[in-house]
Amino acid sequence: MATDIQDLLSFVAVVNAGGFREGARLSGKSASSLSDAVRRIESRLGVRLLNRTTRSVVPTEAGARLMERIVPALGEVESALDVVNDFRDRPSGTLRLNVPVSAARLVLPAIIAPFLKSYPDIRLEVVTEESFVDMLAAGCDAGIRYDERLEQDMIAIPIGPRLQRFATAASPAYLDARGRPEHPRDLLRHACLAGKFPSGAMPLWEYERDGETISVEPNGPLIVRIGGAMDLAVQAAIDGLGVVHLFEDWLRPYLDSGELEPVLEPWWQRFTGPFLYYPGRRYLPSPLRAFVDFINQNRDETNNTVHCGSELARDGGSTFNISAS
């Protein structure tokens, strides 16, 4: 049975990686051993699980159905075996977190060092991802997301600051030359340094004041991939190329130094901080259980654990979308 589980783990590794070579690199196994494991499963089941080409490896319909069922099942097996860790003095193992770049940059730095010092037998693996992915299918134990992007049927607990703002800023030299916007619609006359999700969607810049909500479609000389590439937009703003719109905490060092000047601050939109979310299964892996306990014990504010899936109510008010078109 142990060999069968290892073969299934190899199959999952190949599918998640999209190929045998990448699966071997990520899993620490050889590509040939992964290939042999998949062949053994296909031979036992009598059905092809993967379509192999020179460029890619993708699951067949049968392979996709197997992934849907086997990933949660393997997670339960791992969790059940992990109960043995309760008999150890300290939790051990690997904790894999799937997080957006903003959380890796703004939330985790204050958490990682004290957590790993408290649990020296735990290894933390952080995967940054801006796409809306199935955290479990990606081989992660938990994730960090904002409420509008939380997956359904998960347990979520607050992590990091509970109130954040999006900030808009530009260099003083740019604003001296182009003028300082007094209303969000004024941004239509400015060079906006925009971000784009991996899906290709470009988020609107949203502003709120006195019950009025305004969404602006940014247009300008630079578009970057949302995530780590946002640093390029920040630097472009510092260099005087245009206006940037990003997490206030991301821009705060440049606002404090004077390299960037706040724009439309009374309109900056506030939003709820991120959540750590994970499956609501009976047995949690001990590294995840330790991390959840650590977050709960070190939160500044007491917030109730929530079950994802409910719609969030918003205050009423006027909403406008404006664009250059």
Side-chain angles (χ1 to χ4, degrees):
M1 183 62 181
T3 301
D4 292 339
I5 291 178
Q6 289 302 316
D7 285 352
L8 291 171
L9 289 172
S10 296
F11 166 72
V12 171
V14 172
V15 174
N16 284 336
F20 290 96
R21 289 185 179 179
E22 184 66 9
R25 186 183 70 82
L26 295 175
S27 66
K29 300 178 181 179
S30 68
S32 60
S33 68
L34 294 180
S35 179
D36 291 341
V38 173
R39 287 196 184 96
R40 284 193 294 268
I41 300 174
E42 291 177 330
S43 177
R44 293 191 193 101
L45 298 178
V47 63
R48 178 179 289 276
L49 299 176
L50 298 176
N51 286 322
R52 305 164 176 84
T53 69
T54 57
R55 293 187 176 182
S56 65
V57 175
V58 296
T60 62
E61 182 178 356
R65 293 290 297 275
L66 178 61
M67 279 289 291
E68 291 176 1
R69 300 295 298 272
I70 203 64
V71 170
L74 289 174
E76 289 295 330
V77 170
E78 182 179 359
S79 298
L81 294 174
D82 195 67
V83 171
V84 176
N85 263 329
D86 290 339
F87 295 92
R88 294 170 52 91
D89 292 334
R90 297 181 299 192
S92 67
T94 299
L95 172 62
R96 298 177 181 87
L97 297 180
N98 186 287
V99 308
V101 171
S102 59
R105 183 181 183 118
L106 304 176
V107 175
L108 289 181
I111 296 173
I112 288 179
F115 172 71
L116 292 180
K117 288 178 181 178
S118 298
Y119 298 97
D121 293 333
I122 291 178
R123 182 177 67 175
L124 180 62
E125 181 178 339
V126 178
V127 179
T128 56
E129 178 65 65
E130 295 299 330
S131 300
F132 189 76
V133 300
D134 185 330
M135 173 261 295
L136 293 177
C140 295
D141 302 295
I144 296 177
R145 288 291 184 269
Y146 289 86
D147 50 32
E148 74 275 10
R149 301 187 73 192
L150 286 171
E151 296 183 16
Q152 302 292 309
D153 302 321
M154 293 278 178
I155 302 298
I157 63 172
I159 185 172
R162 299 323 308 144
L163 188 64
Q164 295 181 282
R165 294 195 300 177
F166 276 113
T168 308
S171 72
Y174 171 88
L175 295 173
D176 289 341
R178 298 287 297 271
R180 287 163 172 78
E182 297 181 358
H183 189 278
R185 70 171 68 92
D186 296 338
L187 292 172
L188 298 179
R189 300 192 299 270
H190 284 266
C192 296
L193 309 172
K196 178 185 289 187
F197 285 113
S199 64
M202 290 183 59
L204 301 176
W205 293 6
E206 297 185 345
Y207 298 90
E208 295 180 0
R209 187 177 186 182
D210 300 330
E212 182 182 11
T213 300
I214 294 180
S215 298
V216 178
E217 183 178 347
N219 184 41
L222 179 65
I223 299 174
V224 300
R225 178 68 61 88
I226 289 177
M230 290 304 299
D231 282 328
L232 293 175
V234 174
Q235 187 59 52
I238 292 172
D239 293 339
L241 291 182
V243 183
V244 68
H245 184 72
L246 195 56
F247 291 91
E248 180 182 3
D249 291 341
W250 198 318
L251 297 180
R252 178 50 55 190
Y254 311 104
L255 295 171
D256 290 344
S257 69
E259 293 174 277
L260 291 177
E261 179 181 323
V263 172
L264 299 171
E265 186 167 2
W267 287 88
W268 288 0
Q269 185 184 55
R270 290 174 169 82
F271 57 95
T272 304
F275 292 84
L276 174 75
Y277 72 101
Y278 55 93
R281 56 197 183 203
R282 182 178 179 184
Y283 297 110
L284 292 181
S286 66
L288 176 56
R289 185 167 59 250
F291 191 68
V292 170
D293 291 343
F294 180 85
I295 296 302
N296 282 329
Q297 292 168 5
N298 291 276
R299 276 210 311 268
D300 292 333
E301 298 178 30
T302 301
N303 293 279
N304 293 328
T305 298
V306 299
H307 292 267
C308 306
S310 60
E311 294 185 1
L312 298 177
R314 292 185 177 271
D315 293 335
S318 302
T319 301
F320 303 94
N321 295 327
I322 58 178
S323 65
S325 58

